[in-house]
Amino acid sequence: MQGIDSRRGANEIRDIFPENPRIFKNPKPSTLIGALLSFATDEDSIVLDSFAGSGTTATAVLALNRQDGGNRRFILVECEDFADTTTAERVRRVIQGVPSAKDDALKDGLGGTFSYFELGRPMRQESLLDGSNLPSWEKLASYIFFTATGQEFDPAETNRETGFVGRTASHDVFLFYEPDVDKLKDLALSLPMARDLPDGSRRKLVFAPTKYLDREFLHKYRIDFQQLPFQIYEAIERLDG
């Protein structure tokens, strides 16, 4: 690592953001982080950077994967207001390629994929129980889908009218929920609702406050029922099993 010039980080930023070369002060060189990762990780490691800054760690991970064919993944955490416009935008650009870059690898793009998430107000079990600060249908749908399946949520696939949230390799996921205490008191998975769910060989993972079906009917309609809010996490074991 003796040959790494600290000014290289600033030069990388200029290449990646030619329209705003001073977008981030004193970024670390990705070659420095890459050198450290080459010693500290194997080809399947997960790299966590809790203070992501300009996203240097992501650049280093992607570059190292390209170099040795690895499958390292990264988790970046950034709480400042530039998380999307600088940190995530840098990752987008280095993946896709920067046509004006001097470095050939950066010009072609390092490849790979990533997902960007923003944290909202915490959804606490107590608020579901006492009716305070109830999340919207969309927010709860996103939460249960990712928590239960470990897969990214796609809002474009949802259908609030039918309760459809998303699809995994083995299940169609449904949520029957209203952010209204009075409506929740009377909301339950009933026989007509079960009959209206799509037919076919795929199982249905259904989240609702309660149900009016016994095990026989759940089995008949291929339903795995999860009661809100207590059993959200149990769905993980059901899908993984």
Side-chain angles (χ1 to χ4, degrees), residues 160-190:
R160 183 170 179 175
E161 184 175 342
T162 63
F164 181 71
V165 176
R167 180 172 288 111
T168 72
S170 59
H171 285 68
D172 290 335
V173 182
F174 295 85
L175 170 65
F176 296 107
Y177 163 81
E178 290 289 342
D180 182 291
V181 175
D182 292 331
K183 291 181 179 179
L184 284 176
K185 291 177 181 178
D186 299 321
L187 185 56
L189 177 63
S190 63

Side-chain angles (χ1 to χ4, degrees), residues 31-32 37 44 47 50 62 99 106 117 180 210 212 219:
T31 47
L32 170 61
L37 293 178
D44 294 310
V47 180
S50 299
L62 294 168
L106 184 56
F117 302 95
D180 182 291
T210 190
Y212 296 150
H219 178 73

Side-chain angles (χ1 to χ4, degrees), residues 128-174:
L128 287 175
L129 292 171
D130 65 19
S132 63
N133 298 317
L134 288 172
S136 66
W137 186 92
E138 291 76 14
K139 280 192 173 295
L140 187 57
S142 172
Y143 175 74
I144 64 166
F145 188 77
F146 182 77
T147 304
T149 71
Q151 298 181 21
E152 187 174 347
F153 173 71
D154 184 358
E157 292 187 356
T158 63
N159 186 331
R160 183 170 179 175
E161 184 175 342
T162 63
F164 181 71
V165 176
R167 180 172 288 111
T168 72
S170 59
H171 285 68
D172 290 335
V173 182
F174 295 85

Side-chain angles (χ1 to χ4, degrees), residues 84-163:
D84 188 10
T85 58
T86 302
T87 313
E89 181 61 22
R90 174 177 181 169
V91 183
R92 297 185 189 104
R93 295 189 183 192
V94 300
I95 286 175
Q96 297 171 0
V98 183
S100 61
K102 298 175 183 177
D103 181 80
D104 288 338
L106 184 56
K107 182 182 295 186
D108 295 338
L110 299 177
T113 61
F114 89 111
S115 299
Y116 174 74
F117 302 95
E118 291 184 356
L119 294 180
R121 176 182 293 177
M123 282 188 288
R124 304 187 185 280
Q125 208 174 76
E126 292 81 1
S127 64
L128 287 175
L129 292 171
D130 65 19
S132 63
N133 298 317
L134 288 172
S136 66
W137 186 92
E138 291 76 14
K139 280 192 173 295
L140 187 57
S142 172
Y143 175 74
I144 64 166
F145 188 77
F146 182 77
T147 304
T149 71
Q151 298 181 21
E152 187 174 347
F153 173 71
D154 184 358
E157 292 187 356
T158 63
N159 186 331
R160 183 170 179 175
E161 184 175 342
T162 63

Side-chain angles (χ1 to χ4, degrees), residues 161-162 174 176 188-199 204 206 211-214 217-218 220-221 223:
E161 184 175 342
T162 63
F174 295 85
F176 296 107
L189 177 63
S190 63
L191 184 56
M193 293 166 65
R195 286 173 173 166
D196 285 340
L197 294 174
D199 294 329
K204 275 80 72 174
V206 179
K211 59 178 171 62
Y212 296 150
L213 300 178
D214 59 23
F217 279 103
L218 291 175
K220 177 180 179 180
Y221 292 102
I223 293 173

